[in-house]
Amino acid sequence: MGTPDFAVSALEELHKHHNVMAVFTQPDKPKNRGKKMQAPPVKECAEKYGIPVYQPLSLRKGEDAEKSLELLKQLAPDCIVVAAYGQLLPESILELPKYKCINIHASLLPKYRGAAPIQKCIIDGETESGVTTMLMAKGLDTGDMLMSRSVKITHDMTGGELHDSLAATGGELIIETLKACEEGTIKPVPQDDSLSCYAGMISKEMCRIDFSKNAIDVYNFIRGMSPSPCAYTFIGDKRLKVYFAVMTVINCRNRCVWLLELCILNQSFQTAVFTGCIFDINDHPKPIIERDLLHGDILHLVTECIGHRCHVHFNKLVNCTLICHMCLPPIRSKDVLDTFIAG
């Protein structure tokens, strides 16, 4: 049972080593502006191997739930493997298989229970994450742990890169876990609830960058949200998606400050560079910011959000470089650093 890309690696490995009798995944959903129906990645993978696919609206109530339970009883699986399925399983299903239902969770439990552990651990500045296989219980990610494997988080790793690493690790770990279950060598370990923290689902509103925070927090937020659900900010009424950031330390008048360089996209998917507050918009057929915004609103908005003095340099009318240094902790308006513009 699984739905997004994260679960595909597990399905690939299970198909190599075991007899996968069926795949349960979420229903197809409309995607993007065209609202064209799109199948979940797990469904596409299962169909590639000719594995039967079932997409019940719910496993807990209604006609779909009753039919799914009857089907699972007929299949009589030795184990149900779950990876980011997107639904809570009822107790009637949890107790059905011989080796129970085993979940592949993208964190080192008990830390980061919930729907968004990958993004949250990077946002929090963690240097290590991992995958845990666990017996599923009634609570959300509260079951006994079976196996875990850690993955290092580098200083510049994005949420997408960590996702891919954890997905591959999860595929390998579930095979090891099932082998240990068959051999009878697995020893479930209860989670210590006092060490737990929750990584809840991320809403669109939660993706907006808060520039009142220090440079490191902003940097971690951007890379944690990259590429999905993607951090964003506004210039006037223009919403700009920020896909990644590069943070460096520079020396300004014998004081170290952070320079944060960001790659952004606007709603028309034209690229620009937003550098900590540097905006560098070059070599595009038309500016992503309207001309009246270039002359006023950019400077006003960024100085208002960050509280630093900024200087705007125009190479051409459509090209703009806005420079502002972000300190840790943030510089207040009464303690302003001069900034330098090269060229």
Side-chain angles (χ1 to χ4, degrees):
M1 294 182 176
T3 300
D5 287 319
F6 178 80
V8 171
S9 293
L11 179 55
E12 294 272 6
E13 291 298 319
L14 288 167
H15 176 70
K16 291 178 187 177
H17 297 90
H18 295 275
N19 175 27
V20 181
M21 304 173 71
V23 164
F24 280 67
T25 188
Q26 295 281 61
D28 296 3
K29 292 182 178 180
K31 192 171 183 180
N32 300 326
R33 294 182 180 180
K35 301 299 182 182
K36 183 179 179 181
M37 297 299 288
Q38 183 166 332
V42 163
K43 178 181 179 180
E44 294 177 346
C45 179
E47 290 179 337
K48 180 175 68 174
Y49 295 120
I51 303 171
V53 176
Y54 302 93
Q55 297 176 276
L57 292 174
S58 174
L59 292 177
R60 299 180 66 85
K61 59 182 179 180
E63 185 179 351
D64 274 9
E66 295 175 3
K67 289 182 178 179
S68 296
L69 180 58
E70 287 305 311
L71 174 62
L72 288 170
K73 287 180 178 179
Q74 292 174 18
L75 293 173
D78 290 327
C79 181
I80 295 176
V81 174
V82 181
Y85 178 41
Q87 290 192 42
L88 292 175
L89 306 189
E91 192 171 1
S92 56
I93 292 179
L94 293 178
E95 298 299 324
L96 187 63
K98 175 181 178 181
Y99 297 111
K100 309 299 181 185
C101 295
I102 298 178
N103 184 42
I104 306 170
H105 186 72
S107 80
L108 296 175
L109 291 171
K111 295 186 71 173
Y112 300 110
R113 296 171 177 171
I118 297 175
Q119 292 91 345
K120 190 65 168 62
C121 70
I122 292 183
I123 291 170
D124 288 350
E126 299 280 1
T127 58
E128 184 183 55
S129 183
V131 175
T132 305
T133 52
M134 51 171 283
L135 294 175
M136 297 185 69
K138 289 183 180 180
L140 182 62
D141 302 326
T142 57
D144 291 352
M145 300 177 292
L146 300 176
M147 286 187 173
S148 64
R149 183 179 296 174
S150 62
V151 171
K152 182 180 179 182
I153 302 176
T154 60
H155 72 282
D156 58 350
M157 180 178 278
T158 66
E161 291 167 339
L162 180 59
H163 168 280
D164 293 348
S165 179
L166 294 179
T169 301
E172 297 169 358
L173 191 63
I174 188 60
I175 300 305
E176 294 181 22
T177 301
L178 293 178
K179 182 180 179 181
C181 287
E182 290 177 314
E183 295 173 347
T185 58
I186 203 84
K187 293 183 179 181
V189 178
Q191 295 187 42
D192 184 347
D193 291 340
S194 67
L195 300 177
S196 69
C197 59
Y198 184 66
M201 190 173 294
I202 299 172
S203 66
K204 182 178 179 180
E205 292 72 24
M206 295 167 64
C207 298
R208 186 170 182 174
I209 301 168
D210 181 0
F211 283 109
S212 68
K213 294 186 176 181
N214 65 56
I216 289 180
D217 287 345
V218 172
Y219 172 67
N220 289 340
F221 182 83
I222 292 166
R223 66 190 182 97
M225 292 290 191
S226 176
S228 178
C230 194
Y232 67 88
T233 188
F234 281 94
I235 301 298
D237 61 350
K238 304 288 184 179
R239 186 166 70 94
L240 304 175
K241 291 187 175 183
V242 183
Y243 277 87
F244 66 87
V246 177
M247 188 171 66
T248 55
V249 179
I250 64 173
N251 192 290
C252 182
R253 292 193 174 184
N254 298 318
R255 183 171 180 180
C256 288
V257 298
W258 294 110
L259 192 61
L260 195 63
E261 187 175 63
L262 318 178
C263 176
I264 69 174
L265 291 179
N266 73 345
Q267 289 177 329
S268 299
F269 298 100
Q270 296 166 300
T271 58
V273 176
F274 168 48
T275 302
C277 294
I278 286 179
F279 286 78
D280 190 2
I281 303 170
N282 295 305
D283 300 324
H284 294 289
K286 59 181 180 178
I288 70 166
I289 308 298
E290 300 297 331
R291 292 186 179 189
D292 57 337
L293 291 178
L294 281 175
H295 283 91
D297 288 357
I298 293 178
L299 180 61
H300 171 73
L301 178 73
V302 176
T303 53
E304 182 179 41
C305 288
I306 306 176
H308 305 169
R309 183 168 67 187
C310 303
H311 300 276
V312 179
H313 169 65
F314 294 96
N315 294 319
K316 299 177 183 177
L317 184 61
V318 298
N319 296 335
C320 167
T321 300
L322 175 83
I323 297 182
C324 175
H325 294 295
M326 299 177 64
C327 275
L328 182 64
I331 306 169
R332 305 303 174 189
S333 57
K334 64 181 179 180
D335 183 20
V336 180
L337 289 180
D338 288 335
T339 60
F340 299 93
I341 301 175

